[in-house]
Amino acid sequence: MTDPEEKSIDSASVKMIKKAAADGVSTVFDRAEAIKPCPIGSQGICCKNCGMGPCRLPAPKKKDEEKAPRRGLCGATPETVAARNFIRMIAGGAAAHSDHARGVAETFLAMVKGEAPGYGIKDEQKLFQVALDFGVEIGDRDIMEIARDVGEIALAEFSRQDGELQFLKRAPLNRQKLWKEKGIAPRGVDREIVEIMHRTHMGVDQDYKNLLLQGTRAAIADGWGGSMIATELQDIMFGTPVPILGKVNLGVLKKDEVNLIIHGHEPLLSEMIVIAAQDAEMIDLAKAKGAKGINLAGICCTANEILMRHGIPLAGNMLQQELAIVTGAVDAMIVDIQCIMQSLPDVAQCYHTKVLTTSPKAKIPGAIHIEFSEHNAMESARAIVKTAIENYPNRPPNIEIPDEEFDLVAGFSHETINYLLGGIYRASYRPLNDNIINGRIRGIAGVVGCNNARVRHDDAHVTMVKELIKNDVIVLQTGCSAMACAKAGLLTPEAAREFAGEGLFSVCETVGIPPVLHVGSCVDNSRILMAATAVVKDGGLGDDISDLPAAGAAPEWMSEKAIAIGHYFVSSGVFTVFGVTWPTIGSEELTNCLFKEFEGITGGMWAFEPDPIKAAHLMIDHIDTKRKALGIDKARERILYDMAMRRELEAV
Ligand code: MSK
């Protein structure tokens, strides 16, 4: 077995990998050694879309075979096969985000109709904003009437058969124009996803460029549709995040309290568990069982949702889900949807942890299923909390909770960034734009996405983000990437002094923000789209997102959702670099199209670079190219300007 130190840069995780080995428990880290990825499938050139296959189309090894055509039984080329596989990944990711969003919209409507007790409207301002975007009359109408119209329009966005998604209107005008001209403005979210499944069926669309365009429609429908609807309706119901102090890593678990971990993605359940865990009756019950209280913590994006709104601690990111159970101190792990490993009940068998599934869409053999319904949310939440409490006396003797826990500041919704920069009366992105123009801030990066057991846990996230902030690039983060950097201490205002370049440090110190801003969960990548749009609209940095000195990355991606997110960033005009592996590498022509030609279509393009330092410099080079195109590269040279030089600069 490889040295556990090589598997993660996080010392708490390393300790738990060692404990798992000592306890005879198999984790994802062991399985990653035992199972090697299929070299053909990982390059995107294995087609299993019909019963004549799977057809594997690897490049010929010997020179004399080079002329032999690479074709599936139906004649499909490596380009067609790789494009089909790639856009099916987009469909999977967009479906995951959007089905999450549909669930939120349904609960929102149930709340409006009084059929979801416990839910309400926390952010009226945001409700009015979304109502305006949807063309809903506000006037002096009752708030629940407005909310009903908003909920109905939001839900109809999924099944819309023609026209365009409502939130596309939020994008910069030039972006909207480009999407129209290229024919990639999406109709309904479901329609675009279904059309991918149709076109990639055997014998339908066999032009890889045409397939990519459909993938682009579905990706835009995810970012500016499903994901954005989820974020906005969640903010209306649970509150738009504001800066909040939190803690991260397995050290947040408590030896003498009932530890309840919530893992997955939807805040519909976790918001209710937060309330149930604070209920005096539940706390008394915990005390009666010998615990000092109830300690709630999160894993993956559910964790981000309840951190952003309540400051609930983060136990860890995706690759720490099994390790949390290995501590022996988790009394129950509650899961809903997405990024949940089937191995959890197996790991739990070696300790006392109860794994509880809650969604009818996501059951796991060996787990206890307590179905969660928005119609009796509090009842289900209390039943779940009670299950954890009653399990507390069954704690095993071999408990080991790592000491590691770190402070972080989260809660940077794009509205909050606006407020922090400009103050309540002058809320605006102007100070950010000015500091980009004067060169103190070189550019903006979005670094997001998962962990991947094929690479050292958290390493690429932390290395990349440190390199970016050292070079004065301000970083916005979501998902597991944000948690990785939080564990490395990058999400505190003090991190600016230690890790940021001089220019970025001076801005962070003045505004009082960290150099790395945690903006939320995976669906909250839509907040980054809105922040980028706000920067464009504030002026001075071009007329479209593709003009901005900005770049995106997912250095440890693994999920289909990450591909959907990456592609909606590219489709919105952002240069986006992924690490670990690239799923179309088996088709040179298709990969070239995504890495080069795509810039001519959407103004954004993909890149693949597994080395996080090199990847960071690809992003910085791109940022510098954009600065040059905007004529603001001179400002970065930090020379003392005389009046004539100033005039020249202003004239640019
Ligand atoms: S949870 S999608 S591992 S970021 Fe959103 Fe983390 Fe990736 Fe899941």
Side-chain angles (χ1 to χ4, degrees):
M1 181 177 154
T2 311
D3 181 358
E5 309 273 347
E6 291 302 311
K7 296 179 184 232
S8 176
I9 60 161
D10 166 34
S11 52
S13 296
V14 170
K15 284 178 198 165
M16 290 305 102
I17 293 169
K18 288 180 183 167
K19 181 173 187 291
D23 293 350
V25 174
S26 158
T27 68
V28 60
F29 296 95
D30 305 307
R31 296 189 292 275
E33 280 193 38
I35 309 165
K36 295 296 163 212
C38 163
I40 298 167
S42 65
Q43 293 180 27
I45 43 172
C46 172
C47 183
K48 52 183 181 60
N49 294 9
C50 88
M52 294 192 287
C55 294
R56 301 166 1 131
L57 309 178
K61 280 198 184 114
K62 286 189 234 138
K63 261 226 146 77
D64 54 358
E65 283 176 25
E66 261 168 27
K67 284 187 201 110
R70 294 162 68 196
R71 294 279 192 272
L73 261 65
C74 69
T77 63
E79 287 64 51
T80 301
V81 170
R84 280 177 182 157
N85 289 331
F86 184 68
I87 71 169
R88 278 198 171 197
M89 291 181 90
I90 294 176
H97 289 141
S98 301
D99 208 37
H100 163 170
R102 187 198 327 271
V104 175
E106 283 171 343
T107 302
F108 187 89
L109 271 175
M111 176 267 296
V112 169
K113 292 175 191 159
E115 294 165 1
Y119 297 96
I121 292 176
K122 281 222 178 110
D123 189 340
E124 289 187 8
Q125 210 45 48
K126 181 156 270 196
L127 173 67
F128 295 146
Q129 182 56 56
V130 176
L132 285 175
D133 290 334
F134 282 176
V136 170
E137 191 198 328
I138 297 176
D140 55 2
R141 294 175 74 205
D142 179 77
I143 191 145
M144 282 301 175
E145 271 180 38
I146 298 169
R148 181 191 294 257
D149 289 354
V150 164
E152 279 169 359
I153 293 175
L155 198 56
E157 288 295 83
F158 297 94
S159 54
R160 173 189 278 277
Q161 296 305 317
D162 48 26
E164 291 174 9
L165 289 174
Q166 298 272 359
F167 277 153
L168 299 195
K169 291 195 292 257
R170 288 180 156 191
L173 288 175
N174 280 6
R175 179 78 1 207
Q176 295 179 44
K177 200 165 146 242
L178 181 145
W179 286 335
K180 262 195 202 44
E181 279 170 9
K182 305 287 178 188
I184 50 177
R187 299 154 293 180
V189 178
D190 296 354
R191 175 157 194 177
E192 302 305 356
I193 294 169
V194 167
E195 196 167 314
I196 285 185
M197 299 313 285
H198 177 197
R199 287 191 192 209
T200 56
H201 184 276
M202 188 269 160
V204 187
D205 198 350
Q206 286 151 102
D207 173 337
Y208 77 89
K209 291 190 179 175
N210 207 37
L211 284 163
L212 285 184
L213 288 182
Q214 182 53 28
T216 304
R217 280 181 207 102
I220 298 171
D222 177 2
W224 297 85
S227 289
M228 200 170 277
I229 289 171
T231 296
E232 298 300 73
L233 297 189
Q234 286 169 184
D235 279 356
I236 295 171
M237 281 197 287
F238 308 127
T240 300
V242 294
I244 192 161
L245 195 64
K247 293 213 178 279
V248 62
N249 217 343
L250 293 170
V252 304
L253 296 174
K254 303 234 163 78
K255 202 161 190 162
D256 49 8
E257 293 189 24
V258 174
N259 288 310
L260 182 57
I261 289 193
I262 319 182
H263 169 24
H265 279 77
E266 288 177 340
L268 298 175
L269 164 69
S270 52
E271 282 286 328
M272 293 299 136
I273 298 229
V274 169
I275 300 169
Q278 289 165 359
D279 185 303
E281 199 185 312
M282 290 291 150
I283 294 170
D284 286 347
L285 184 61
K287 287 184 179 159
K289 296 283 174 190
K292 285 196 176 146
I294 302 169
N295 180 42
L296 201 55
I299 297 257
C300 275
C301 280
T302 288
N304 287 321
E305 298 281 3
I306 50 177
L307 163 76
M308 297 278 283
R309 298 194 179 90
H310 303 283
I312 302 288
L314 306 167
N317 50 11
M318 203 279 293
L319 282 184
Q320 290 179 284
Q321 56 186 286
E322 295 170 313
L323 303 181
I325 296 178
V326 171
T327 62
V330 175
D331 301 297
M333 184 175 277
I334 323 303
V335 303
D336 53 26
I337 49 161
Q338 302 170 20
C339 304
I340 298 148
M341 291 188 194
Q342 184 169 348
S343 59
L344 292 180
D346 297 338
V347 176
Q349 261 192 354
C350 303
Y351 305 93
H352 77 307
T353 309
K354 292 212 155 116
V355 177
L356 273 64
T357 52
T358 55
S359 166
K361 295 172 196 164
K363 294 189 178 179
I364 307 176
I368 302 165
H369 189 71
I370 300 185
E371 197 138 318
F372 174 77
S373 151
E374 69 272 19
H375 302 296
N376 59 359
M378 193 43 72
E379 220 174 285
S380 330
R382 285 170 67 88
I384 287 165
V385 173
K386 212 168 161 196
T387 307
I389 295 170
E390 276 163 0
N391 199 27
Y392 178 79
N394 302 326
R395 287 250 178 120
N398 56 340
I399 292 177
E400 182 188 335
I401 302 175
D403 301 327
E404 288 84 346
E405 62 168 341
F406 301 93
D407 289 337
L408 74 144
V409 181
F412 293 94
S413 55
H414 83 91
E415 293 87 346
T416 296
I417 300 174
N418 197 26
Y419 163 69
L420 285 174
L421 290 168
I424 196 158
Y425 298 112
R426 290 178 295 114
S428 135
Y429 274 70
R430 195 69 245 153
L432 176 65
N433 286 26
D434 285 344
N435 280 303
I436 293 173
I437 292 166
N438 70 25
R440 280 197 192 96
I441 294 178
R442 191 176 196 149
I444 309 167
V447 182
V448 306
C450 326
N451 290 141
N452 187 316
R454 297 292 177 198
V455 293
R456 196 177 182 200
H457 172 225
D458 288 348
D459 191 6
H461 290 300
V462 174
T463 307
M464 172 184 278
V465 170
K466 279 187 178 169
E467 190 65 15
L468 289 168
I469 60 176
K470 186 174 98 186
N471 285 282
D472 293 320
V473 176
I474 191 165
V475 177
L476 307 185
Q477 290 213 281
T478 59
C480 294
S481 187
M483 298 192 213
C485 292
K487 286 183 273 173
L490 301 179
L491 272 61
T492 61
E494 298 74 41
R497 182 178 295 276
E498 192 176 345
F499 299 106
E502 202 186 312
L504 177 59
F505 164 63
S506 66
V507 176
C508 290
E509 196 182 46
T510 310
V511 183
I513 53 172
V516 183
L517 303 179
H518 190 338
V519 306
S521 64
C522 300
V523 293
D524 292 339
N525 283 307
S526 62
R527 297 191 200 277
I528 301 183
L529 296 177
M530 289 305 294
T533 301
V535 172
V536 172
K537 289 186 176 168
D538 217 274
L541 290 169
D543 299 320
D544 196 353
I545 296 173
S546 53
D547 295 332
L548 297 177
E556 297 181 30
W557 78 278
M558 62 88 197
S559 74
E560 291 171 325
K561 291 183 292 174
I563 291 290
I565 292 166
H567 204 64
Y568 75 61
F569 271 97
V570 168
S571 310
S572 302
V574 182
F575 172 69
T576 303
V577 192
F578 270 34
V580 190
T581 182
W582 181 251
T584 70
I585 213 86
S587 163
E588 209 181 315
E589 209 174 312
L590 169 66
T591 304
N592 265 335
C593 177
L594 290 167
F595 288 12
K596 296 195 177 99
E597 281 173 48
F598 232 72
E599 194 174 24
I601 304 170
T602 67
M605 61 182 159
W606 283 97
F608 166 54
E609 175 51 68
D611 180 323
I613 296 280
K614 285 188 191 158
H617 281 280
L618 287 179
M619 296 162 81
I620 293 166
D621 289 349
H622 177 81
I623 283 169
D624 286 348
T625 305
K626 292 292 173 183
R627 293 189 66 87
K628 193 161 188 203
L630 289 164
I632 55 171
D633 51 324
K634 292 174 193 161
R636 261 206 70 74
E637 287 168 10
R638 307 265 175 85
I639 38 174
L640 286 173
Y641 287 86
D642 59 23
M643 274 317 286
M645 290 164 84
R646 270 169 210 265
R647 260 182 241 123
E648 189 202 335
L649 190 64
E650 275 157 21
V652 172

